[in-house]
Amino acid sequence: MPVDQHSDPSGNLPGNPFEDRLSAALHEAGGTFDTDRAALAAGGAVRGRRRQLLRRTAVLGGAAGIALVGVGGALLVPWGGKPAPQPTSVAAKPRPTKATATPGPFSGDDMIRTLETLLPEGKFTKQQARGTDDSQLPPYATVVYDDGKGASAISVGVSRIQPGSDEARQTTQCPDKVFIPSDGCATTRLADGSVVMVHRGYEYPDKRVDTKLWRAELITPTGQHVSVQEWNAAAEKDAPVTRPEPALSVDQLKQLAAAKEWREIADTLPKPKESDVPTAPAGDGKALVRTFTSLLPKGLKVVDHSGEDTEYGYLVVDDGKGPSFVQINVQPDMSDVAGDLFGADSETLADGTRIATHQGPGEKGGSGVVMWTVDTMRADGRRVVISAFNAASQITDANRSTPALTMKQLREIALSPQWLKLG
């Protein structure tokens, strides 16, 4: 992920995949599609190679962030352009059962009826859904559920995903707390071989409101994907908190995601084509963090670092004056976006390397956060962009007056020939 992609579109992310998996990408995508989030998260409405996504969003300091962080490896935003579905009635024909020779199609009414049947006894309002007859978008159902202790919006989306793919792995991988804070997250394997991730987070990563978002992402061995989300309010946005926590416990959330009814619905959906499955860039992810660490100025202590992404990495460093978040992105073959990144005020070195710098406020909502960036591109299109913050992350308040690295030090790191050895 590019450095400038860890702002909320994200705010999503997403999700993670998020929203994000995702999750955060969809949080800022717009109210028109709010009720469609589970379907988008489950279906990967926009698939493609991560590098293609990076090209589209490679803008200095852009706000397109957390979409790939633990939200499934694909930016999940409603680019299909269809309006949000209208509420649907549940007084419709009976839902197809296993006795049917060819399962499905499942209507929006079937989706709602299935969700309400699987939930504990309570009152249901504001039902919306889409069935399997829409070939462009995955099916979903959402209701406002009240068990007598307060209203809680609950949404379920169903899709197919390539089993064993990088996308499947990322879908059930807990997101990095540096980008998506949570009250807990765990990934477990069920007896049938399915993998489920349950994440207890918040509607907004910066916790600007007290709305909680809990979600479960389940992938079966055959690639059936069920995404369940719930809030402690009657809507994910612009609704008052109605209860301390969402209605379903962690175990209930997991059980709802694992219900066989969703798998029957998923079986009516087309399997993803190999060309639709995002793949991770080749390379050694650990090498990026090792190289990044080796280029730090003396006197900086690394207190945290990213995982094994092959193109993006972060370090949290401390020079004795407080932690400072520093992130870097190394991307090959980015010449086609050079015009968007480097304006007339950029610098060009003798070897053709272009350099752009930026100093301004952070874009993730942390109070007093500043972001210092040096963006470089070699003549062969290899882009190395590095940013430092005066906070431990982009979503926490500033804890120092300036970042731990100067603009000169950031420039030296970005221009290091060591990046050319990563392949």
Side-chain angles (χ1 to χ4, degrees):
M1 278 170 288
V3 165
D4 43 48
Q5 292 214 338
H6 287 284
S7 306
D8 280 335
S10 21
N12 14 139
L13 159 35
N16 45 212
F18 292 256
E19 252 184 332
D20 10 207
R21 245 183 81 287
L22 185 91
S23 1
L26 297 176
H27 288 155
E28 302 296 330
T32 304
F33 299 91
D34 283 348
T35 57
D36 225 1
R37 183 187 301 168
L40 290 169
V46 178
R47 299 178 186 268
R49 289 183 176 274
R50 175 159 51 180
R51 185 171 298 166
Q52 293 173 327
L53 170 63
L54 299 180
R55 293 185 189 279
R56 300 188 188 108
T57 55
V59 289
L60 191 63
I66 217 135
L68 300 182
V69 183
V71 192
L75 178 61
L76 309 180
V77 291
W79 289 339
K82 294 191 177 185
Q86 297 301 309
T88 178
S89 167
V90 295
K93 62 183 180 180
R95 182 174 68 83
T97 65
K98 287 184 178 179
T100 306
T102 303
F106 291 79
S107 67
D109 295 328
D110 296 327
M111 293 292 296
I112 288 176
R113 186 181 299 105
T114 300
L115 176 56
E116 293 185 352
T117 300
L118 292 172
L119 290 173
E121 183 177 353
K123 179 181 178 182
F124 301 101
T125 57
K126 298 183 179 179
Q127 297 94 332
Q128 293 191 23
R130 178 176 51 241
T132 61
D133 52 352
D134 189 323
S135 60
Q136 299 299 315
L137 295 172
Y140 83 97
T142 181
V143 302
V144 175
Y145 166 71
D146 194 333
D147 57 359
K149 301 177 181 179
S152 178
I154 300 177
S155 188
V156 179
V158 180
S159 73
R160 299 294 294 272
I161 199 170
Q162 189 71 30
S165 65
D166 188 61
E167 182 185 12
R169 179 186 61 80
Q170 291 187 35
T171 298
T172 54
Q173 180 178 351
C174 287
D176 195 323
K177 283 190 174 183
V178 167
F179 306 114
I180 304 181
S182 72
D183 294 330
C185 182
T187 298
T188 56
R189 185 176 296 276
L190 306 183
D192 66 353
S194 298
V195 177
V196 59
M197 183 270 291
V198 177
H199 181 266
R200 294 182 291 124
Y202 294 82
E203 174 63 21
Y204 297 98
D206 59 8
K207 302 181 184 180
R208 70 191 76 165
V209 295
D210 294 328
T211 307
K212 294 183 178 181
L213 166 58
W214 292 9
R215 61 191 180 92
E217 302 287 346
L218 181 139
I219 305 288
T220 70
T222 57
Q224 300 151 318
H225 177 201
V226 182
S227 177
V228 183
Q229 300 174 79
E230 60 169 343
W231 294 261
N232 62 333
E236 57 264 42
K237 293 181 180 178
D238 303 322
V241 169
T242 54
R243 51 194 300 147
E245 295 181 342
L248 303 180
S249 67
V250 168
D251 287 340
Q252 288 174 316
L253 192 61
K254 189 183 301 184
Q255 290 170 9
L256 178 59
K260 67 180 187 303
E261 286 83 351
W262 304 125
R263 305 185 189 198
E264 295 174 15
I265 295 172
D267 283 340
T268 68
L269 303 174
K271 295 182 179 180
K273 300 176 182 178
E274 284 291 337
S275 59
D276 292 335
V277 179
T279 57
D284 179 6
K286 293 181 180 179
L288 186 146
V289 173
R290 285 198 306 266
T291 301
F292 195 7
T293 303
S294 71
L295 295 173
L296 290 175
K298 293 182 179 180
L300 290 179
K301 178 182 178 182
V302 176
V303 297
D304 198 3
H305 61 81
S306 58
E308 299 184 12
D309 196 298
T310 58
E311 294 186 350
Y312 170 83
Y314 75 80
L315 301 173
V316 180
V317 300
D318 195 334
D319 57 0
K321 300 178 181 179
S324 177
F325 183 80
V326 190
Q327 60 184 10
I328 196 163
N329 208 100
V330 182
Q331 299 167 281
D333 306 324
M334 296 295 289
S335 299
D336 55 345
V337 296
D340 299 323
L341 300 171
F342 302 94
D345 57 345
S346 63
E347 177 186 358
T348 302
L349 303 182
D351 65 356
T353 299
R354 304 178 71 175
I355 305 173
T357 61
H358 175 76
Q359 291 178 268
E363 298 179 342
K364 289 280 291 176
S367 177
V369 174
V370 297
M371 175 181 179
W372 293 0
T373 299
V374 175
D375 199 347
T376 69
M377 186 176 292
R378 261 68 170 194
D380 65 355
R382 180 181 293 267
R383 182 191 183 203
V384 179
V385 54
I386 181 172
S387 294
F389 302 79
N390 60 334
S393 76
Q394 295 189 54
I395 59 177
T396 52
D397 294 343
N399 56 273
R400 48 188 298 149
S401 58
T402 61
L405 283 83
T406 66
M407 290 293 289
K408 180 181 178 180
Q409 290 169 330
L410 294 176
R411 178 187 173 110
E412 291 175 350
I413 293 174
L415 293 175
S416 171
Q418 295 298 318
W419 300 118
L420 303 178
K421 299 178 182 180
L422 291 185

